[in-house]
């Protein structure tokens, strides 16, 4: 009798099978099966039940040959004393799946009726019964467990096909970016489901036919070589193999499609290395020059969008911005440039991206020579507003001051002449055309309506050859003199000389403090006989009343 038992652990295989690694390919027929007996009973027939304790049976799946096939023999010791009848009940007999096992009721031979499939059902549990033909003896039902032993009848199946992944083009070696895995329906505790992965081919094979490597156990795909370049090789297709039996068994193939995503591995490049431009002096917001660049990275991505800096030569008069298309630097003036101070600027401009470079890259620079164009500028008075103090009663022709302007166009031979603008409302002054000497033209009056807060303003013009005109303001603070007599505001009054009441009269004077109040009042001629006048305490008005006769 040959009894062959399979173990579920690959490390306890019979040495001969382990040596050749072929055990899962053999279909071993157990001929005949083991003999399973009840526990020994005491002498003499008695009605009693006893426990059967037997080890599980192991039956390989996918057996070939004639069926039914004996897998074991059930035996009761009572068979020596009486005829025993055998039967089974449970899974595989009268429970789903029905009819997989059967037993010879006379001799206890247990049969499997068809090939088993571990992936459909890997274990059967049923009860075996033994009863004497006359019913006098009955064994206690014996539980039989049958394990279906795995055979390598399932190849690995990829969980998806194709696998889709992406990898940044600047990724370093050993960078794992995706996993391709497969499942195997065979027993996971055996080599039948121990899957190993490998890459069969890579398309395109450039720039290295081994750009990627796969972890043979996990299926993780990693970068294996430098040189990923989205601009030249944006996509790779890998043919991947999954094989069970630790890579030596059944094989399946699948594909992994890898998209190479953009990294900032291209610095923006100026189309030209030097530019020359001209800009008028004093013009703020003028566009000096536009500097286009190119970039090999993915258009409209942050790695493609450029930004610019002026790294030398700028005195604060220039600003560079990025144009709407993100591939152009625009230099403008942000404060007036002065031709006479500096008529030429040399700017050094650098181009970068909105995101850092993935790897150190040499940046591109451009030199911009800006020539400042001379523009005729108006003469400038210094100070712009000149203040002088003079008495209001100066005689006509009196010199007030010399008020001159300078022409900032030092590179040109310019002659500056002067004149009074229309903003000399009273016409009180004149200016010498060549020297800027200002004189009194007509009598001045501090009390004139053209004087505000004691100040009279005149706009002086300075004109160069082109002509361009500059302006300055002469402010004359007129010093008051006592050139106005007090005036009684009430020019006519009516009083009654009988029972008269005092009349209040107001006195004013156009002159300022020191030349006006306090006032005194005095009646003249015969008025002093009949009338009386007296100032009030403030000396700004007086009372007039008739003398009583």
């Amino acid at each position: 009798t040959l009894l062959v038992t399979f173990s579920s652990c690959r490390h306890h295989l019979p040495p001969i099978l382990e040596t050749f690694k072929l055990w899962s390919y053999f279909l071993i027929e157990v001929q005949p099966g083991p003999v399973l007996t009840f526990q020994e009973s005491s002498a003499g027939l008695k009605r009693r039940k006893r426990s059967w304790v037997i080890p599980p049976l192991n039956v390989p799946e996918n057996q070939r040959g004639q069926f039914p096939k004996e897998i074991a023999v059930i035996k009761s010791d009572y068979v020596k004393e009486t005829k025993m009848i055998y039967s089974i009940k449970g899974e595989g007999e009268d429970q789903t799946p029905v009819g997989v096992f059967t037993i010879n009721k006379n001799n206890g031979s247990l049969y499997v009726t068809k090939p088993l499939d571990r992936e459909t059902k890997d274990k059967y549990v049923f009860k075996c019964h033994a009863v004497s033909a006359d019913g006098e003896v009955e064994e206690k039902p014996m539980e039989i467990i049958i394990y279906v032993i795995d055979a390598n009848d399932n190849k690995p199946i990829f969980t998806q096909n194709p696998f889709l992944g992406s990898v940044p083009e600047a990724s370093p070696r050993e960078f794992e970016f995706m996993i391709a895995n497969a499942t195997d329906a065979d027993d996971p505790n055996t080599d039948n489901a121990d899957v190993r992965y490998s890459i069969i081919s890579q398309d395109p094979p450039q720039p290295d036919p081994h750009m990627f490597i796969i972890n043979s156990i996990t299926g993780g795909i990693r970068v294996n070589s430098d040189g990923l370049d989205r601009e030249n090789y944006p996509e790779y297709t890998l043919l991947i193999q999954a094989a069970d039996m630790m890579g030596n068994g059944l094989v399946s193939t699948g594909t992994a499609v890898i998209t190479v995503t953009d990294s900032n591995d291209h610095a923006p490049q100026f189309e030209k290395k030097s530019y020359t431009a001209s800009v008028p002096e004093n013009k703020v917001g003028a566009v000096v020059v536009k500097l286009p660049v190119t970039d090999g990275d993915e258009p409209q991505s942050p790695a493609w969008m450029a930004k610019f800096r002026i790294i030398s030569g700028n005195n604060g008069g220039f600003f560079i911005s990025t144009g709407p298309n993100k591939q152009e630097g625009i230099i403008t003036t942000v404060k007036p440039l002065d031709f006479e101070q500096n008529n030429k600027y040399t700017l050094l401009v650098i181009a970068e991206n909105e995101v850092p470079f993935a790897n150190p890259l040499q940046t591109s620079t451009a030199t911009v020579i800006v020539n400042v164009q001379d523009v005729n500028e108006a003469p400038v008075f210094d100070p712009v507003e000149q203040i002088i103090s003079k008495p209001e009663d100066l005689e006509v022709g009196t010199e007030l001051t010399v008020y001159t302007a300078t022409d900032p166009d030092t590179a040109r031979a310019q002659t500056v002449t002067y004149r009074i603008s229309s903003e000399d409302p009273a016409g009180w002054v004149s200016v010498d055309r060549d020297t800027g000497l200002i004189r009194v033209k007509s009598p001045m009056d501090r009390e004139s309506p053209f004087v505000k807060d004691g100040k009279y303003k005149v706009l002086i013009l300075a004109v160069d050859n082109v002509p361009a005109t500059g302006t300055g303001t002469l402010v004359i603070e007129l010093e008051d003199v006592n050139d106005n007599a007090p005036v009684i505001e009430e020019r006519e009054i009516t009083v009654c000389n009988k029972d008269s009441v005092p009349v209040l009269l107001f006195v004013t004077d156009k002159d300022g403090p020191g030349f006006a109040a306090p006032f005194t009042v005095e009646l003249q001629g015969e008025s002093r006989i009949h009338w009386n006048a007296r100032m009030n305490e403030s000396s700004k008005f007086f009372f007039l009343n008739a003398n009583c006769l």
Side-chain angles (χ1 to χ4, degrees), residues 508-523:
T508 60
D509 192 316
K510 292 182 179 180
D511 292 322
F515 299 106
F519 302 109
T520 60
V521 61
E522 181 180 340
L523 295 174

Side-chain angles (χ1 to χ4, degrees), residues 37-42 50-53 75 77-78 139:
T37 62
F38 294 95
Q39 293 179 350
E40 279 193 35
S41 60
S42 58
R50 299 168 302 154
S51 297
W52 290 348
V53 179
K75 182 179 179 181
D77 286 343
Y78 294 123
E139 295 280 10

